[in-house]
Structure formats: structure tokens, C-alpha cells
Amino acid sequence: DVKVTQSSRYLVKRTGEKVFLECVQDMDHENMFWYRQDPGLGLRLIYFSYDVKMKEKGDIPEGYSVSREKKERFSLILESASTNQTSMYLCASSLGQGGVYEQYFGPGTRLTVT
Amino acid sequence: LAKTTQPISMDSYEGQEVNITCSHNNIATNDYITWYQQFPSQGPRFIIQGYKTKVTNEVASLFIPADRKSSTLSLPRVSLSDTAVYYCLVGDVVSFQKLVFGTGTRLLVSP
């Protein structure tokens, strides 16, 4: 059974802290994604990666960075957390190049920044 | 970008057929239409995908008219467990840059 896991289900951080959200997939997928999900706004793509050490900005990359040192692991980094980054963060992976390929999502991390 | 528009919410009763329509006026030739389902406290999961006409699987049917500017997800005889948010997504076989999820439709199924 395919699996995408995220390091935490719930996280509470203070303004200004550096925050790491980790995502691991066991499907040998080339592509990995980070989204944030907010009420009324749906899912918005932050960053994606199509290969190890490769990354591309999505729709809302400001305030975030990512790291992909190994194929199975994709990290989202908030360099200095702010309250407007309080959100649900979802990681996903897919096999093929292009948005048409099925994405497999993790359970999400609900981040609260106080 | 092929922006999608869906109703914010829909209500239904058990046993009824539910049709959720998604508008994507700027869809491009290489774009496919994919629907995802999301339960509370879970990530979205793939339901069905199509390019044109009709696609059916064990869960749902997807109807796409000839102009492809809209699509309709059809859930036959819904049950309480179909209560979820449904997302319409338009994407192509080449790029992730056009990957845009809509705001989703919250379906509530009542007894």
C-alpha cells in the first residue's frame, strides 16, 4: 500500500522560530509537493520537486523554502514563522511528470504559530 | 491558468445521486480533469480522471462535454460516508506549473 507520511500531525510554534516539516514517501516517486490548505482558499501549491536537489516554486512560495536531499524525503522550511503561516500543510508525491498524474497525499500537519 | 470554479457546498440524502459540476473555461488542449475526495483530518485522494466524454469506475462517473469547459462528477446513491470535500483539478502531462486545485465542494449527506 502506498504511503506518504508527515513528521507531525499537530505543531505549535512561536513567531520567529525556524520550523521544519518533514515528508517521506515509500513509493519511489520522482515528484513531491507541498501545499497549504486554508478555509475558503482550497489547496495552494507552495513548492514542488521533480528530482533530488531540484525544486520549483509554486503559487505561494514566499516565506518558505524546501530541501530534497534524498528521493524519498521532502522538507518544507519556514525560516522565521509568522502567524499568517498558521495553516494545514499537506505533502504529496506522484510518479509521472505533469499534473495529470495521480498525487498521493499525506495526512497533513496542522501548524499553529503563536 | 485553467482556474476552476465549483459550488461551495451541496446537501443530499442517502440513496440519492449527486452531481457536482466544475467550471474550467480556460482549459487547454493538453489538460486532463481529475477529481479528488478529502475526508476530515486526511489528505485528498484520487477518485476519477478524464479527458473527454464519459469515464466510469467503481466509485463515480465523470461527464465532460465536447467543449470541455466544464465537467460533472456523479456519485450514484450516496451514503453518509460520502460526506467529504470534493476537488476538481485541471492539469497536463507536461508541467506542474499549471497545477491548480479549486476551492472544493463540501458535500453533506444526511440520513
Side-chain angles (χ1 to χ4, degrees):
Chain A
D1 196 19
V2 297
K3 209 158 187 183
V4 177
T5 56
Q6 296 183 228
S7 51
S8 305
R9 292 301 301 269
Y10 300 93
L11 210 52
V12 179
K13 296 292 182 180
R14 293 194 181 277
T15 302
E17 278 193 84
K18 190 169 186 176
V19 181
F20 292 87
L21 302 183
E22 305 284 342
C23 175
V24 177
Q25 50 99 359
D26 65 358
M27 297 164 282
D28 201 35
H29 282 172
E30 302 293 331
N31 311 292
M32 297 187 74
F33 310 82
W34 276 106
Y35 293 88
R36 65 176 282 176
Q37 183 173 33
D38 301 289
L41 297 177
L43 277 80
R44 294 180 291 166
L45 183 62
I46 304 172
Y47 268 97
F48 65 92
S49 168
Y50 53 89
D51 200 353
V52 174
K53 296 190 185 297
M54 305 304 289
K55 60 185 180 185
E56 293 283 345
K57 294 179 180 179
D59 298 324
I60 51 165
E62 296 78 19
Y64 304 94
S65 63
V66 290
S67 172
R68 193 166 180 203
E69 297 296 320
K70 293 184 178 181
K71 190 175 185 180
E72 68 272 17
R73 190 178 296 269
F74 192 35
S75 302
L76 180 69
I77 303 157
L78 288 66
E79 294 289 341
S80 178
S82 64
T83 54
N84 62 14
Q85 293 177 310
T86 291
S87 185
M88 170 69 82
Y89 290 88
L90 290 159
C91 175
S93 72
S94 74
L95 181 60
Q97 179 72 18
V100 70
Y101 292 94
E102 179 178 352
Q103 293 187 54
Y104 296 85
F105 283 84
T109 295
R110 185 165 294 282
L111 173 67
T112 301
V113 183
T114 62
Chain B
L1 287 179
K3 178 176 161 50
T4 61
T5 304
Q6 304 173 232
I8 294 174
S9 64
M10 295 182 70
D11 295 321
S12 183
Y13 293 97
E14 282 191 293
Q16 290 189 334
E17 179 184 72
V18 171
N19 295 309
I20 305 174
T21 298
C22 179
S23 171
H24 28 79
N25 290 321
N26 296 327
I27 192 167
T29 303
N30 292 332
D31 288 339
Y32 285 71
I33 299 137
T34 309
W35 285 79
Y36 285 79
Q37 176 190 54
Q38 184 179 24
F39 296 115
S41 302
Q42 294 185 24
R45 67 171 189 172
F46 174 95
I47 303 177
I48 197 166
Q49 183 181 79
Y51 183 79
K52 62 180 179 180
T53 64
K54 178 183 174 182
V55 178
T56 298
N57 62 22
E58 64 277 5
V59 176
S61 294
L62 178 59
F63 298 92
I64 305 168
D67 66 6
R68 304 200 326 122
K69 292 182 183 295
S70 66
S71 58
T72 299
L73 174 73
S74 181
L75 304 172
R77 296 181 297 282
V78 294
S79 65
L80 298 178
S81 63
D82 292 315
T83 293
V85 179
Y86 293 83
Y87 290 95
C88 164
L89 171 66
V90 174
D92 66 18
V93 297
V94 175
S95 167
F96 292 121
Q97 292 290 4
K98 295 169 58 178
L99 198 60
V100 179
F101 276 85
T103 54
T105 298
R106 186 174 299 276
L107 173 66
L108 175 63
V109 180
S110 301

